[in-house]
């Protein structure tokens, strides 16, 4: 029982780290056009940097809420099928981000908000890798029960 609780704690910590990484990367990619030399067409970098903490907080809450169904599905599948590879969790992060965009109603094709959508997908990729680093490496690992014949 103690092992199961500890495993759950690591999974939640992994999810928190994945949300933090995905949100940070999505906010950075979303703000990248502000550094283009286009006379402020996309806004000022300095204004964007001032708003970064609030974007990170609100984006983190939205990512945690909208990403939860995709994360639960990918974790259940990983535990059931014993998936432990970085590739699985990176692609699961991208699919989780896509599902979160669909749930939030923000995805009307890639081009209307390309910076936000692309940032979310890239953030999902790296968020999946962050989850793998904390909790995904041991997905599906179960403690072997002792053989009843040996316990005599």
């Amino acid at each position: 029982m103690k092992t199961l609780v500890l495993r759950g704690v690591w999974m939640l910590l992994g999810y928190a780290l994945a949300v933090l990484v995905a949100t940070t990367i999505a906010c950075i990619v979303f703000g990248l056009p502000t550094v283009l030399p286009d006379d402020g067409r996309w806004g000022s970098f300095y204004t964007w940097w001032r708003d970064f903490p609030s974007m990170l907080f609100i984006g983190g809450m939205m990512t945690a809420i909208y990403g939860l169904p995709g994360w639960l599905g990918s974790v259940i599948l990983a535990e059931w099928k014993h998936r432990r590879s970085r590739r699985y969790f990176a692609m699961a992060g991208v699919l989780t981000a896509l599902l979160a965009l669909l749930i939030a109603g923000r995805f009307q094709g890639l081009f209307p908000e390309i910076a936000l959508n692309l940032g979310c997908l890239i953030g999902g990729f790296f968020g999946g890798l962050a989850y793998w680093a904390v909790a995904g490496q041991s997905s599906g690992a179960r403690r072997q029960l002792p053989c009843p014949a040996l316990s005599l």
Side-chain angles (χ1 to χ4, degrees):
M1 182 67 177
K2 183 179 176 184
T3 317
L4 184 64
V5 171
L6 188 60
R7 177 88 182 115
V9 168
W10 278 111
M11 292 168 93
L12 289 175
L13 286 174
Y15 183 62
L17 180 65
V19 166
L20 180 65
V21 167
T23 305
T24 303
I25 290 175
C27 288
I28 288 171
V29 171
F30 182 66
L32 279 179
T34 62
V35 298
L36 295 174
D38 60 356
D39 294 327
R41 182 171 151 231
W42 283 89
S44 166
F45 171 74
Y46 303 105
T47 303
W48 174 83
W49 188 250
R50 186 186 66 216
D51 296 336
F52 185 73
S54 60
M55 285 174 48
L56 194 61
F57 178 73
I58 293 170
M61 287 192 325
M62 291 176 66
T63 302
I65 292 168
Y66 292 128
L68 191 62
W71 173 73
L72 285 173
S74 63
V75 166
I76 289 170
L77 185 65
E79 292 290 329
W80 180 41
K81 294 289 189 178
H82 306 282
R83 303 283 185 213
R84 296 183 188 171
S85 69
R86 284 181 290 227
R87 184 178 351 156
Y88 170 79
F89 284 102
M91 290 302 113
V94 171
L95 292 175
T96 298
L98 185 60
L99 181 64
L101 287 170
L102 290 171
I103 290 172
R106 303 285 301 181
F107 194 82
Q108 293 94 17
L110 189 59
F111 293 107
E113 297 177 7
I114 191 165
L116 180 62
N117 292 340
L118 188 61
C120 289
L121 296 177
I122 294 170
F125 179 85
F126 286 104
L129 288 178
Y131 179 82
W132 172 83
V134 173
Q137 295 176 11
S138 60
S139 287
R142 292 176 185 82
R143 194 174 60 177
Q144 295 294 328
L145 296 175
C147 179
L150 296 177
S151 62
L152 294 175

